Amino acid sequence: MYSYSDFDESFVRARVAQFTQQVERRLDGSLTEEEFRPLRLMNGLYLQLHAYMLRVAIPYGTISPHQMRQLAMIADTYDKGYGHFTTRQNIQFNWPILPDVPAILSALADVEMHAIQTSGNCVRNVTADHFAGAAADEIEDPRPYAELLRQWSTDHPEFQFLPRKFKIAITGAPNDRAVTRAHDIGLRMVKNAAGESGFEVMVGGGLGRTPMIAHTVRNFLPVADLLPYVEAVLSVYNTLGRRDNKYKARIKITVHETGKEEISRMIEERFAELRPLFGGHDQELLEDIRAAFAPPAFRNAPLGAYDAFYKADPTFRSWADTNLSQHRNDQYAIVTISVKAHGQTPGDASSDQMRMMADLAERYGHNDLRISHEQNVILPHVHKSDLPAVHAALAQVGLATANVGLISDIIACPGMDYCALATARSIPIATQIADRFEALDLEHDIGPMKIKISGCINACGHHHVGHIGILGLDRAGVENYQITLGGDGTETAAIGDKTGPGFAYDEIVPAVERIMRAYLTVREAPQETFLQTVRRLGLDPFKAALYGTEGAQDAA
């Protein structure tokens, strides 16, 4: 992974020192909360319902064992012994007190981490495929490009005060595991007819109150043109983006109001102006960055013990069938550690769990960990002969749940339990759904399923692209949950369709159960997934299950 240069180190330390002084001025009353607010947000510090929340960047989801242990230390020393992994591949600490924040930022700087640009109207943490550098279907590891974008966008003088926040996602594989089409800029690596690597560039995606799928503005962008082209997109947006209405300030609205053809023309025109200004230094920097992402030294070892254990132990076999993915090296596997034990808060990891994951990465995983946008943790490089030991160690700390990609592997935002913007609870809904389907013993029969839950219209839980999306709203002071079906965050991205009227807090879990029982009845075969069934039949059978035949007609 990338290591800080002397410049990086001095830059982060200077920001810590600067914010330390700002905190002191807030504590002694020299700064009001109104004056302090933009300063703290520039350093990832939010004021939530009950306490401050600090959002820490994990660039493109890559983290070392040493850094993970430091997060565990911070959780124990300055929080309540846990952290929350987010859909932006960050970690949030929900209970720091303001006087401790400078010490937390200093501790982060000790391990080359920070909270810069995890808030504000700037380019946020660049996210990437959590299987990057390991996936069997990958064209090229996208992380060097993500790091190049991170360095370019950090404290960029032109783009620190954009009309609204700006999110970039990148994948190096045809199978999109980074939800690129739901980002302000999505970058998907492709090959041209000559076999050269480049990017499909998508612009104007986003969720929130106005969900949109991004438009492709370039089918093939040469690798050498990446930075000037992204700068051209941001430059056009910075000029056109609305500042009169924050609800219409995202680039998706700019693209919608301007039109794809005209925005594409403007981007290309600005790119033509910018391209000559990039004299090749960016490519020299990229080559230096690439060296930091060289593949690990994979080992060659017999697989007989793994094969025998897989056959003999049904618990291990169930975990292997759900939580392992194909690695580019046939002797290895990608391990997804589910941070979604039934009944537990999705994405919450205790300090002990963090330390165990760090230990396993060090001993069995080539010192590499990833955070996924699905709020799980990845060991991207584990030799198959080590998998039984990894599974046994995970089981000791409650991390061996065999549910990745199943109905209890739920994405959920913090909701009204923490967030000052939330209009409904999301965490209790997630835990109740997981518990209900564990009790019914239907998870594996249902098969691949992505439920995503948001506690407000800002859609931090990505509900619009869930196979089942659940949005919690406030209806006259009462929580009401709206259901969408058929959403998809992959390369076949789609926004889910609303089923009809919402459901009360105590009605939403039974509603999900009715949807699932209807699916099990109408699917053509066990191999037909829920998403395939929805695309084949539409919403009618599920509306009937939710509202009855007459109610389904009313909901149409």
Side-chain angles (χ1 to χ4, degrees), residues 116-173:
I116 298 166
Q117 292 185 204
T118 59
S119 180
N121 295 335
C122 55
V123 179
R124 300 286 187 90
N125 187 33
V126 178
T127 58
D129 181 355
H130 42 273
F131 292 170
D137 64 336
E138 190 172 75
I139 296 171
E140 189 177 330
D141 188 342
R143 291 176 301 156
Y145 302 101
E147 174 59 27
L148 181 68
L149 288 166
R150 184 197 69 79
Q151 294 191 27
W152 164 82
S153 63
T154 299
D155 212 28
H156 193 297
E158 187 178 348
F159 305 135
Q160 286 300 293
F161 298 96
L162 293 166
R164 199 71 174 88
K165 58 188 174 183
F166 203 91
K167 300 175 181 179
I168 301 173
I170 183 169
T171 181

Side-chain angles (χ1 to χ4, degrees), residues 448-497:
M449 171 58 61
K450 294 190 181 296
I451 294 181
K452 304 177 191 289
I453 307 172
S454 298
C456 80
I457 204 165
N458 290 309
C460 294
H462 293 188
H463 68 275
H464 294 296
V465 292
H467 299 168
I468 298 177
I470 300 174
L471 168 61
L473 298 169
D474 181 319
R475 298 290 192 224
V478 178
E479 291 168 295
N480 184 273
Y481 294 85
Q482 186 181 88
I483 294 176
T484 55
L485 301 179
D488 180 11
T490 70
E491 64 280 0
T492 55
I495 301 298
D497 294 316

Side-chain angles (χ1 to χ4, degrees), residues 170-192:
I170 183 169
T171 181
N175 296 303
D176 186 0
R177 290 175 289 266
V179 205
T180 57
R181 292 186 180 275
H183 280 75
D184 299 294
I185 294 179
L187 299 167
R188 186 172 71 94
M189 186 155 280
V190 294
K191 294 273 192 182
N192 64 9

